[in-house]
Amino acid sequence: MKSSVIRALIALVVGGALTLAAFLGAFFWAGVPDFGFVRTAQQTDSVRYQGPFVQDVDEARYLRNFVGYEADITADGTLTEGRITEASEDGVTLETDAGDVTIAAADFDSAQVHGSTYGRPDWGQKIFYFHVPVAEISFIVFGFAAFYSIRFIMTRRREYDTKARVSMEVTLLFVMFTMATGILWTRAAWGVWWMWEPRLTTYFIMTLLVIGYFVLRNAVEDEERRALYAAAFGILAFIDAPISFFITRLIPSNHPVIERGGLEPPMLATFIIAQIGMILLGYAIYQLRMGEVLLRDRIEHAKTLLER
Amino acid sequence: MASASMRQFKAMLRKDVVMELRTKEMLMSMGLYSLLTMVVYFVALSQAGAGFDPRDIAAGLLWLAFIFTSMLGLNRSLVHEKDQGCLEALLLSPVDRPVIYFAKVTGNLLFLLIVEALTIPVFAFLFLQGETIDLRTMALIPLVLVAGSIGIAGVGTLLATMSVNTSGKDFVLAMLFIPLIYPLLLGAVMATGAAIVGTPEALGVFWTGMAWVIGYDVIMLLASYGLYEFIVGA
Amino acid sequence: MGDEPQTTALEVRELTRAFGVRRALDGVSFELPPYAFLSIFGPNGAGKTTLVKVLTTLLNPTSGNAKVLGLDVVADAVEMRKRIGLISHNPLLYPDLTAEENLRFFSEMYDVPDARGRVAELLEAVELDHRRLDLTRTFSRGMLQRLSIARALLHRPEVIFLDEPYSGLDPHAMDILDGLIAQIRHEHTFVMISHDLDKGLELCSHALILARGRIVMYEPREAIDDAAFRETYRSTVGMGVA
């Protein structure tokens, strides 16, 4: 067997094992990463969260979502600290050191809710361990596709076209994974399947660019022309993607951002294991697909030689 | 050498203009297409309530019309070159490939701007009557139009050069063009919208949008110029 | 550079044009003296068009090299384009320009001196001066082909490439084309792709058969035994695409 195939199989096994380990780690070891919190009313409805957090609430009725949580409520200019035992449209009842206190909604100014261990663990957030590595890899492979496209334009050697094409196929695969995991998370965290939110929008555009690449390839008859056109479009797409990304940031975003040092050691370890595992998986998929394409080429070549 | 290129550039541009003035094929089809879009807009907005302010979405609607009409025109302009193999004749002549690119871009830009300049008053007449519009900020719109159209013509000419050689020309062009032009579109709509709204704060948004459009133009035009030579000869 | 007498009009060395394992041209080498008339025969997909595209600078060779009038097809492409012309089965003319405008446009591209005079002279030569103000859209196939010849001759090229110029022409148009070629036959080098064996052999001074990107036969006209040549040609047609 060729060494590249052996390497690919090793990567497949190791990458698979690491990904599985990360999967187990994410659910049984690492906690939920503390990333950005939701702000709008619609989103607050679906909040289920475990772990330390502080949430500002500016309307009394939203406190219904935080029954059982510790809260500092400012009403009529005075601060009351305690645990929420009851909350409705009319007001909120707090259990404080000095006994129960009821605050009418009309007096309510603002509240800070502190997360405690009482809430349900939010499994939805755990998709982070897979969604982020997959998204990162999709960018990396996209970069490889662009790199091979440039190499092709410079050398006109068919092998680079093949490499660019296979890289783009892997990009498409990872883009699809990212989209799928992203959409699931969006539903769980924001209560909607889709939102025209900068990251999502940019990613959607990138998906379209990758699909466009294959539409273009399929529409060109001549092999060499197809390779040249595809390479040119691959390069343009790769230049276009970051521009799309940055300009879309001008629209206000809800997408969570991990802050520096925001991950506890078990989380970080799980995340890194997931990342390495998926990089290996990506490499394995690329190599195996490449091997298949090259084999096909050799069969084609053998056929033409036989016809001679 | 430079003067030879300039002469060839002018000859190609003149040829495109003469042909267009004779057939009026691109201008007519693009102009009528943008009129048709207005009808579709009316239908799309017909259920909007009384509180609806057309100025909020005017910029988006305008650029939508520009994008779709421009794809129509771009396709036409390259089909002309392809039809009887004229592009091959151009490539056989001692002309630098970038000269062909810039001549085609300039021609397309010219026709695009004419159609856009005609579309805006029609749009304003149909949708913006009775709305308060600040004419001083509206005067900034031509800036966005020119900057935006340069990007559309620049990227579009390269893509159309490819798509005329594919099966399913129109669809392929749209599939490549719209995602690629997305950043420019966003910037242009932002700037145009700000110019229509016309408040002092909007002016800042206008220049932000303009900066994006110009930045996009510079980057993508350079890339397209660099890639054209490889594409056109393929 | 043009003043020294050329010993060869075409000089092709190990010319290969390949993409992956597919080779459109596979190590083609030959030489052609000035003022010769080369006819290239071969089945579809033999590499005839690719060869002419490389020789007219439209495609770059993958390996090997080719010189036309002593100029390299890659390094001296721009200089070379000024000295070659192509008459194709495609007219390569803008249908929405008049005959005169078409020629004037291409004379701008080639920077032809005294363009007005040259265009008038050529229109007369191809017997189209009475239609010079008509759009070429209205022209018949034969008229288009004549105008196409005028276009190719505008800049007084030294080597003229003909890509199946007779295809789609009626007998009358063929006669006119024959006459025009005969007129300029001895002042130019010709390279013609042809499917028509009789026509190709009648005109040529050298004949070349290409199959699967390789030269099957290359002989001067006087060394060719017609019957044997036909037999060789026929055997290649069955060989199919490389």
Side-chain angles (χ1 to χ4, degrees):
Chain A
M1 223 179 337
K2 274 172 67 186
S3 63
S4 66
V5 177
I6 294 169
R7 271 199 311 252
L9 289 175
I10 293 172
L12 191 68
V13 172
V14 176
L18 286 178
T19 310
L20 188 66
F23 193 78
L24 296 172
F27 282 94
F28 299 111
W29 183 42
V32 176
D34 181 15
F35 46 75
F37 217 75
V38 284
R39 295 269 144 67
T40 67
Q42 176 198 27
Q43 291 158 6
T44 312
D45 285 342
S46 65
V47 166
R48 286 169 276 108
Y49 188 76
Q50 181 196 25
F53 74 90
V54 176
Q55 169 78 7
D56 288 311
V57 176
D58 45 15
E59 277 187 65
R61 57 197 175 100
Y62 295 147
L63 291 173
R64 274 181 302 172
N65 296 307
F66 297 102
V67 174
Y69 286 74
E70 299 287 333
D72 306 343
I73 299 181
T74 314
D76 250 356
T78 52
L79 182 76
T80 318
E81 290 179 28
R83 178 184 301 154
I84 303 172
T85 50
E86 219 185 300
S88 70
E89 300 273 318
D90 309 319
V92 53
T93 310
L94 284 182
E95 182 192 303
T96 69
D97 297 342
D100 287 1
V101 178
T102 302
I103 299 166
D107 297 331
F108 179 85
D109 294 323
S110 70
Q112 261 194 350
V113 181
H114 303 273
S116 65
T117 51
Y118 293 111
R120 275 204 290 142
D122 191 350
W123 298 105
Q125 299 291 77
K126 297 212 175 198
I127 214 159
F128 156 81
Y129 295 113
F130 307 98
H131 176 70
V132 178
V134 167
E136 283 176 359
I137 291 163
S138 73
F139 288 120
I140 295 171
V141 196
F142 195 27
F144 272 104
F147 170 73
Y148 286 129
S149 298
I150 294 173
R151 293 291 295 149
F152 175 76
I153 290 244
M154 281 167 21
T155 61
R156 303 289 177 94
R157 290 173 57 165
R158 189 163 175 272
E159 57 186 280
Y160 290 118
D161 173 54
T162 312
K163 284 181 178 170
R165 191 188 88 213
V166 173
S167 303
M168 209 54 116
E169 282 174 2
V170 179
T171 310
L172 184 63
L173 186 73
F174 277 88
V175 160
M176 290 300 175
F177 278 145
T178 311
M179 275 298 213
T181 49
I183 282 175
L184 289 177
W185 184 84
T186 312
R187 178 72 180 100
W190 295 342
V192 286
W193 291 105
W194 180 260
M195 199 182 265
W196 285 103
E197 183 278 336
R199 291 244 187 145
L200 272 66
T201 311
T202 322
Y203 213 77
F204 185 48
I205 296 294
M206 187 174 138
T207 310
L208 289 176
L209 287 170
V210 176
I211 294 173
Y213 178 89
F214 289 105
V215 168
L216 178 63
R217 285 198 83 97
N218 284 330
V220 186
E221 189 80 29
D222 180 83
E223 207 183 351
E224 189 170 0
R225 180 181 275 172
R226 178 197 305 151
L228 265 175
Y229 284 8
F233 185 70
I235 294 168
L236 280 182
F238 189 71
I239 300 172
D240 192 72
I243 306 180
S244 303
F245 178 73
F246 286 113
I247 191 175
T248 323
R249 308 219 81 182
L250 293 174
I251 307 172
S253 171
N254 280 322
H255 194 281
V257 179
I258 297 287
E259 275 162 36
R260 216 171 272 277
L263 289 177
E264 291 167 18
M267 299 180 189
L268 192 63
T270 309
F271 178 67
I272 289 173
I273 290 170
Q275 209 158 23
I276 296 171
M278 298 224 190
I279 286 176
L280 287 174
L281 281 184
Y283 171 78
I285 295 169
Y286 172 82
Q287 282 296 351
L288 290 175
R289 175 78 180 129
M290 199 66 203
E292 187 209 336
V293 170
L294 291 179
L295 203 60
R296 265 174 210 276
D297 276 2
R298 280 172 61 198
I299 294 170
E300 280 301 311
H301 185 44
K303 273 189 194 163
T304 53
L305 285 182
L306 281 175
E307 277 168 20
R308 242 170 217 211
Chain B
M1 197 60 222
S3 73
S5 292
M6 199 59 212
R7 196 191 56 243
Q8 290 164 331
F9 174 84
K10 279 187 196 152
M12 272 185 268
L13 190 58
R14 192 179 330 115
K15 176 258 311 175
D16 275 347
V17 172
V18 166
M19 275 173 25
E20 183 54 39
L21 290 180
R22 191 162 284 154
T23 61
K24 296 175 193 67
E25 208 183 340
M26 272 170 78
L27 288 176
M28 276 300 242
S29 57
M30 285 163 79
L32 289 175
Y33 195 86
S34 81
L35 270 187
L36 295 175
T37 335
M38 298 301 134
V39 177
V40 179
Y41 287 168
F42 164 71
V43 176
L45 300 175
S46 60
Q47 299 302 309
F52 167 72
D53 185 349
R55 287 178 305 169
D56 291 345
I57 56 162
L61 293 183
L62 274 174
W63 281 96
L64 187 72
F66 297 161
I67 285 294
F68 281 100
T69 48
S70 69
M71 285 199 288
L72 199 72
L74 287 166
N75 234 327
R76 295 267 156 138
S77 94
L78 268 300
V79 167
H80 279 313
E81 297 291 343
K82 203 73 206 167
D83 254 358
Q84 296 201 349
C86 298
L87 195 60
E88 202 180 324
L90 284 182
L91 293 176
L92 272 170
S93 68
V95 55
D96 286 333
R97 274 53 178 151
V99 176
I100 304 179
Y101 175 66
F102 284 119
K104 283 317 274 185
V105 171
T106 313
N108 287 334
L109 176 64
L110 202 66
F111 303 135
L112 208 57
L113 282 175
I114 292 173
V115 173
E116 288 171 357
L118 294 174
T119 305
I120 290 186
V122 174
F123 181 85
F125 174 79
L126 293 173
F127 291 100
L128 295 178
Q129 279 194 48
E131 304 289 340
T132 38
I133 289 170
D134 187 342
L135 284 178
R136 274 169 310 170
T137 52
M138 286 284 271
L140 292 171
I141 287 183
L143 285 181
V144 200
L145 280 193
V146 173
S149 306
I150 287 175
I152 291 179
V155 173
T157 302
L158 178 78
L159 295 182
T161 309
M162 297 201 251
S163 70
V164 287
N165 283 318
T166 63
S167 47
K169 301 176 177 53
D170 311 301
F171 168 64
V172 173
L173 182 61
M175 191 66 226
L176 305 183
F177 184 63
I178 292 179
L180 217 51
I181 209 77
Y182 158 83
L184 178 132
L185 204 54
L186 202 60
V189 169
M190 193 186 286
T192 314
I196 292 174
V197 171
T199 57
E201 312 87 74
L203 220 58
V205 179
F206 175 86
W207 290 112
T208 314
M210 270 302 279
W212 277 98
V213 173
I214 292 170
Y216 179 93
D217 283 355
V218 171
I219 295 171
M220 289 311 248
L221 231 63
L222 278 176
S224 307
Y225 154 80
L227 290 171
Y228 190 77
E229 182 162 352
F230 300 105
I231 292 312
V232 77
Chain C
M1 158 170 17
D3 297 336
E4 327 152 12
Q6 292 287 341
T7 50
T8 55
L10 297 186
E11 197 182 329
V12 180
R13 291 255 167 281
E14 285 300 317
L15 192 66
T16 299
R17 170 82 195 164
F19 191 65
V21 291
R22 204 156 293 159
R23 282 156 187 258
L25 290 176
D26 191 0
V28 171
S29 304
F30 68 93
E31 284 180 10
L32 188 74
Y35 306 113
F37 192 118
L38 173 68
S39 286
I40 303 174
F41 303 99
N44 286 331
K48 305 187 296 287
T49 308
T50 310
L51 178 59
V52 167
K53 281 196 166 175
V54 171
L55 293 178
T56 51
T57 75
L58 292 180
L59 287 178
N60 284 345
T62 308
S63 65
N65 66 67
K67 286 194 165 112
V68 178
L69 300 163
L71 298 167
D72 189 87
V73 289
V74 180
D76 311 312
V78 176
E79 187 54 35
M80 212 190 99
R81 285 184 197 125
K82 294 177 186 166
R83 296 168 65 182
I84 59 171
L86 172 74
I87 300 167
S88 158
H89 48 101
N90 225 351
L92 315 187
L93 295 163
Y94 290 95
D96 290 315
L97 293 182
T98 65
E100 190 174 21
E101 280 168 343
N102 260 302
L103 296 187
R104 287 300 292 276
F105 169 68
F106 282 104
S107 44
E108 288 282 337
M109 301 309 288
Y110 282 97
D111 197 12
V112 175
D114 182 27
R116 190 182 295 274
R118 179 74 180 145
V119 168
E121 176 191 337
L122 278 168
L123 280 173
E124 202 163 324
V126 296
E127 297 169 32
L128 282 172
D129 42 342
H130 63 295
R131 298 288 304 263
R132 69 191 177 90
L133 295 179
D134 291 345
L135 296 188
T136 59
R137 183 179 284 291
T138 63
F139 282 19
S140 70
R141 183 79 185 81
M143 288 157 75
L144 274 179
Q145 194 60 305
R146 271 142 64 199
L147 189 61
S148 172
I149 294 167
R151 181 191 54 74
L153 297 180
L154 267 175
H155 54 294
R156 304 175 198 275
E158 291 152 62
V159 181
I160 297 175
F161 292 88
L162 303 150
D163 185 356
E164 292 174 34
Y166 289 96
S167 78
L169 290 189
D170 56 58
H172 176 64
M174 272 177 148
D175 286 345
I176 295 178
L177 183 55
D178 277 343
L180 280 165
I181 291 179
Q183 270 177 42
I184 54 174
R185 169 74 184 76
H186 295 286
E187 302 135 37
H188 297 77
T189 307
F190 284 86
V191 177
M192 178 167 87
I193 295 179
S194 179
H195 271 309
D196 185 340
L197 217 52
D198 299 323
K199 197 92 217 167
L201 280 177
E202 173 197 322
L203 291 169
C204 76
S205 71
H206 291 71
L208 190 155
I209 300 181
L210 212 57
R212 282 204 210 101
R214 294 196 183 133
I215 294 180
V216 176
M217 188 182 200
Y218 177 56
E219 302 272 5
R221 181 71 183 92
E222 51 278 11
I224 291 176
D225 171 48
D226 277 23
F229 186 82
R230 274 167 213 280
E231 195 42 52
T232 314
Y233 176 70
R234 225 165 274 130
S235 71
T236 66
V237 174
M239 286 164 84
V241 181

